[in-house]
Amino acid sequence: MKIIKCKTPDEIALLCANKILNLLKNKNDAILGLATGSTPVKTYRKLIELSKQDNVSFKNVKTFNLDEYINYKNEIDSYKYFMYDNLFKHIDIDLNNTHFPNEMLLDKYDDQIEKAGGVDLQILGIGANGHIAFNEPNTPFDSKTHVVGLSQKTIEDNARFFNSIDEVPTSAITMGLATIMKSKEIILIATGKNKADAINKLINEKPSLLCPASILQNHPNVTIYVDDDSASLL
Ligand code: PGA
């Protein structure tokens, strides 16, 4: 596991956007695994800006998102909309090439990813409780795409995206830990003091179901990007 310490979230965004761009310059039909949440937004913004500057096209790129809510009230609460708003509408990607797990596809999402050639680069955030995607503590390491009930902590953390906490869906579909581990390369971004404990466990403790992200220690090509705050316990 490689650890890259940056001073600020902006510095991380620049490095990660460039990493994605370099991949696309070498492989214009790359498969990207994408994450939602506030952490990757800066990277997406930088990616939009630099791809325009360097004339990099997403026309042949395929994307697979990590997760999606079940029974969201409004379309704009979905992760599909989040990705459209924060990335897809700003680039020349074919929306037919963008994928999200859903209840009908449940068993087939892993196969779909594999048939497409597998994820070349997976972007991850991390939850304050060490979750990756919606794989909460005690998710089996061999899990594939599955339905999850969200923990109270995750519901509280995500309430900031909704009008009220009552609107936060209580379940979601997520790539499993085994699904994520099949990615050829993984970058995990963590910013802010509230991620410091999870980052410390991910980096300094033995892999354990209590910190789902710690499974990444067993992956051959992972880079963790931390800022001063998230690295404060290292
Ligand atoms: P955040 O979420 O980027 O909004 O902090 C990360 C996550 O829960 O994976």
Side-chain angles (χ1 to χ4, degrees):
M1 231 166 35
K2 225 168 39 182
I3 297 150
I4 306 221
K5 289 188 186 172
C6 294
K7 279 249 146 302
T8 63
D10 285 334
E11 219 177 289
I12 297 179
L14 181 63
L15 289 179
C16 291
N18 270 316
K19 186 162 185 70
I20 299 167
L21 277 182
N22 286 337
L23 169 66
L24 300 190
K25 285 177 186 170
N26 288 319
K27 188 176 183 189
N28 71 9
D29 61 348
I31 317 266
L32 299 178
L34 298 179
T36 53
S38 17
T39 311
V41 170
K42 277 178 188 281
T43 294
Y44 295 151
R45 279 201 200 126
K46 222 35 200 171
L47 183 60
I48 294 161
E49 180 194 322
L50 298 180
S51 63
K52 284 198 200 327
Q53 211 170 284
D54 291 6
N55 259 324
V56 176
S57 172
F58 290 78
K59 240 190 260 155
N60 300 317
V61 169
K62 289 197 179 94
T63 66
F64 288 88
N65 259 79
L66 285 169
D67 42 23
E68 180 59 283
Y69 285 125
I70 295 176
N71 289 334
Y72 44 83
K73 242 172 134 183
N74 309 301
E75 196 61 32
I76 60 163
D77 294 332
S78 68
Y79 283 163
K80 195 173 185 165
Y81 184 80
F82 178 98
M83 289 310 304
Y84 178 73
D85 201 36
N86 284 289
L87 180 63
F88 299 156
K89 77 175 182 194
H90 304 283
I91 55 177
D92 65 345
I93 198 162
D94 177 351
L95 290 179
N96 292 318
N97 286 340
T98 66
H99 303 88
F100 293 79
N102 65 51
E103 279 164 291
M104 310 232 296
L105 267 179
L106 192 54
D107 297 339
K108 302 189 191 86
Y109 199 57
D110 288 50
D111 294 343
Q112 217 185 11
I113 297 170
E114 209 155 315
K115 266 196 206 124
V119 169
D120 291 303
L121 181 63
Q122 174 68 57
I123 298 157
L124 292 178
I126 184 169
N129 64 1
H131 75 209
I132 46 176
F134 275 128
N135 294 289
E136 303 285 4
N138 291 316
T139 304
F141 279 0
D142 62 357
S143 52
K144 293 183 165 185
T145 301
H146 62 288
V147 172
V148 282
L150 303 186
S151 72
Q152 189 55 30
K153 172 83 183 116
T154 298
I155 291 173
E156 284 163 16
D157 284 350
N158 289 2
R160 67 190 191 280
F161 294 111
F162 295 81
N163 292 326
S164 83
I165 194 164
D166 304 332
E167 285 186 15
V168 185
T170 53
S171 57
I173 299 188
T174 181
M175 279 190 201
L177 293 170
T179 319
I180 293 169
M181 288 292 278
K182 282 201 171 161
S183 311
K184 291 164 202 159
E185 179 169 7
I186 297 175
I187 58 181
L188 182 144
I189 308 172
T191 60
K193 270 242 165 4
N194 65 326
K195 304 294 171 67
D197 183 50
I199 284 296
N200 183 40
K201 287 196 172 107
L202 155 62
I203 292 172
N204 290 326
E205 293 185 8
K206 274 208 198 108
S208 147
L209 294 187
L210 296 178
C211 177
S214 63
I215 191 176
L216 299 176
Q217 290 181 25
N218 301 329
H219 191 285
N221 195 0
V222 178
T223 309
I224 315 281
Y225 293 85
V226 286
D227 68 351
D228 277 350
D229 285 339
S230 65
S232 58
L233 296 178
L234 294 180

